[in-house]
Amino acid sequence: MNSFKIGVASLGALTAAIVSPAALAEPTLPEALQNGAEASDVSVTVQNLRWIMLEEPFNSLTFRSMDTLFSTRTVPHAGQPWMLPQESHALDFNYEFNGQTYSAEEGIERTYTNAIVVLKDGQIVYEAYRNNSTPADRFMGWSATKSLISVLVGVATEQGLIVSLDDPIDHYLPELAGGGYQGVTVRQVLQMRSGVDYEERYDFANPGAAASNHIGALVQNRVRFANAARTIGRKAAPGSLFEYKTLDTAVLGLLLERVSGMTLAAYTAQNLWEPLGAEADGFFIMDGAPGVGREFSGAGYNATLRDFARVGQMMLDGGVANGHRIVPAEWVAMSTRPTEQVPEPGLGYGMQWWTMGDHAYSAIGLQGQYIFVDPTTRTVVVKLSYFPPMGEEADNETQAFLRAASKWQPR
């Protein structure tokens, strides 16, 4: 999905520079990080680790170790977990990709899988952990986080904290008035149709707004990620153009903080994680030190494989989990209905959820994170991966795998 791939082709060379013999004498920053580095309190070594965290083979480990790289804010679980019944089966289906037939087990290896679980009608039928990962690991959801934020916006709307999705977002966040977000409705932000001038392109050799924000907020913690929304300009009339923007979701996270009067982590715990019956604490990575940083709502949530599966099952069950109504069924239907097709073949977009045709939909995160839901076959698949940067072929093959997994009937 080119619209939200991070272009990191140059990171290989930067990685080599970081670990060169000269660099080993004293930690130094790559050139792309040197601008503004004097204002960062993050050590050079940690900045370098954050800089290469997307690169293979490091990403197999970093994607399940984000609490060692960032300050975090815990989203605690509480009470008895929602028990998911289990009856294991061999993953005995094949799928087609680029004119070739592969077994499911081949597909898991070919598409860089760290952990995967398949549920059929609420029952776990297959679960596997690879590369020394374990059921206790909390995996980075990357942009799958956006779909959780959508659920929380649905909760806040049902609670009356957001009066109408057609309210301008600067009604709730007056600091956005005068910039590109002025007059943009909450609905348009949910649909990635804000029209603000923030191209989701991460060319670090020639950094634009998105790449500069990534460096400043996430690598160096000099600025807060969502603050870019205050001064961003406008590219198109609100509602007229679909363009995927992590900044839109960061604004939604700020909206939830403002209307609830709580941190995003606390609101998530109270309204999603606890009633969901999660079995482990989740956490957000932060864009700054404690007391300064804010949860990275655009792509920063971490959870166990099974807890991500509980989110998928809750969506499949129309917003109900563990005997609790989390979000209205109408919100589930509305947020997973495509508002328009997008350039990627076979995909559409609803409200922070990707749609995949035939009523299936998915939360999708950078480099292969999927919470796939197919109401037609009552299937949920969570696949947590470590694609190489710019791994478009792995994305396309994973989608073929998921569609075949949906049709699979365990025997």
Side-chain angles (χ1 to χ4, degrees):
M1 280 143 282
N2 289 331
S3 57
F4 65 107
K5 286 288 195 297
I6 292 186
V8 290
S10 61
L11 282 184
L14 292 170
T15 303
I18 291 168
V19 298
S20 69
L24 291 176
E26 180 180 350
T28 59
L29 293 172
E31 184 177 352
L33 297 186
Q34 290 176 9
N35 184 32
E38 67 280 356
S40 175
D41 293 328
V42 180
S43 73
V44 169
T45 296
V46 171
Q47 287 185 55
N48 282 331
L49 287 169
R50 293 176 181 179
W51 185 239
I52 64 170
M53 66 184 173
L54 305 176
E55 276 288 292
E56 57 176 335
F58 314 111
N59 55 358
S60 176
L61 178 62
T62 57
F63 286 7
R64 50 192 159 101
S65 307
M66 286 292 167
D67 53 346
T68 67
L69 292 177
F70 291 89
S71 296
T72 64
R73 186 165 280 160
T74 299
V75 177
H77 74 297
Q80 291 298 313
W82 179 18
M83 299 307 297
L84 300 172
Q86 184 166 11
E87 182 178 307
S88 298
H89 294 262
L91 208 61
D92 56 354
F93 67 85
N94 298 325
Y95 68 97
E96 305 288 327
F97 181 69
N98 282 351
Q100 300 291 319
T101 300
Y102 300 101
S103 72
E105 292 290 349
E106 287 178 310
I108 289 174
E109 181 66 20
R110 284 174 54 83
T111 59
Y112 306 90
T113 307
N114 263 337
I116 183 171
V117 63
V118 182
L119 289 79
K120 295 285 183 174
D121 203 21
Q123 182 178 69
I124 295 174
V125 295
Y126 181 83
E127 183 176 14
Y129 298 86
R130 303 170 71 87
N131 309 316
N132 294 337
S133 67
T134 73
D137 285 333
R138 273 102 49 95
F139 297 85
M140 180 69 152
W142 290 116
S143 285
T145 305
K146 293 175 169 67
S147 301
L148 275 64
I149 296 299
S150 173
V151 171
L152 292 169
V153 173
V155 172
T157 303
E158 177 67 12
Q159 292 172 342
L161 301 177
I162 300 169
V163 177
S164 170
L165 295 185
D166 297 313
D167 286 341
I169 199 156
D170 53 300
H171 170 76
Y172 300 97
L173 300 171
E175 65 267 35
L176 302 187
Y181 280 100
Q182 181 170 325
V184 178
T185 68
V186 176
R187 187 187 309 274
Q188 288 163 345
V189 178
L190 282 162
Q191 294 173 343
M192 297 287 186
R193 297 160 68 101
S194 66
V196 301
D197 190 12
Y198 190 93
E199 183 181 4
E200 193 82 357
R201 185 175 67 89
Y202 292 84
D203 180 359
F204 293 114
N206 300 284
S212 297
N213 205 24
H214 174 88
I215 292 170
L218 299 180
V219 177
Q220 298 181 329
N221 293 161
R222 293 184 288 103
V223 297
R224 310 288 74 78
F225 191 94
N227 285 0
R230 298 178 180 180
T231 56
I232 199 73
R234 177 166 290 173
K235 178 179 180 179
S240 67
L241 175 67
F242 171 85
E243 260 189 357
Y244 187 94
K245 297 179 177 70
T246 295
L247 186 61
D248 279 355
T249 316
V251 166
L252 293 173
L254 187 59
L255 170 68
L256 289 167
E257 289 181 27
R258 190 66 51 81
V259 300
S260 70
M262 305 167 69
T263 67
L264 182 60
Y267 190 75
T268 303
Q270 181 174 304
N271 293 283
L272 175 59
W273 220 237
E274 292 178 5
L276 180 75
E279 66 182 35
D281 294 348
F283 67 86
F284 284 97
I285 67 168
M286 305 290 284
D287 62 9
V292 176
R294 182 181 292 129
E295 294 92 329
F296 180 36
S297 58
Y301 196 65
N302 297 253
T304 67
L305 175 71
R306 285 198 176 193
D307 281 341
F308 278 133
R310 287 177 171 92
V311 172
Q313 189 63 42
M314 177 271 293
M315 293 292 290
L316 181 63
D317 291 339
V320 173
N322 197 31
H324 299 282
R325 165 68 62 188
I326 306 292
V327 68
E330 295 81 2
W331 184 270
V332 173
M334 180 172 61
S335 62
T336 59
R337 184 183 307 123
T339 56
E340 62 178 286
Q341 290 304 114
V342 297
E344 286 77 11
L347 292 177
Y349 203 75
M351 297 195 311
Q352 309 284 300
W353 288 88
W354 292 92
T355 63
M356 301 180 67
D358 298 324
H359 308 292
Y361 54 90
S362 189
I364 303 179
L366 180 75
Q367 294 176 240
Q369 322 316 315
Y370 281 83
I371 306 173
F372 171 84
V373 181
D374 190 344
T376 302
T377 61
R378 297 282 300 167
T379 299
V380 173
V381 183
V382 179
K383 183 180 184 301
L384 303 170
S385 316
Y386 57 102
F387 292 176
M390 302 302 291
E392 185 172 357
E393 280 296 283
D395 252 327
N396 293 337
E397 185 163 352
T398 293
Q399 290 171 43
F401 173 94
L402 291 171
R403 291 184 173 98
S406 181
K407 295 176 183 176
W408 172 51
Q409 296 182 346
R411 296 187 297 272

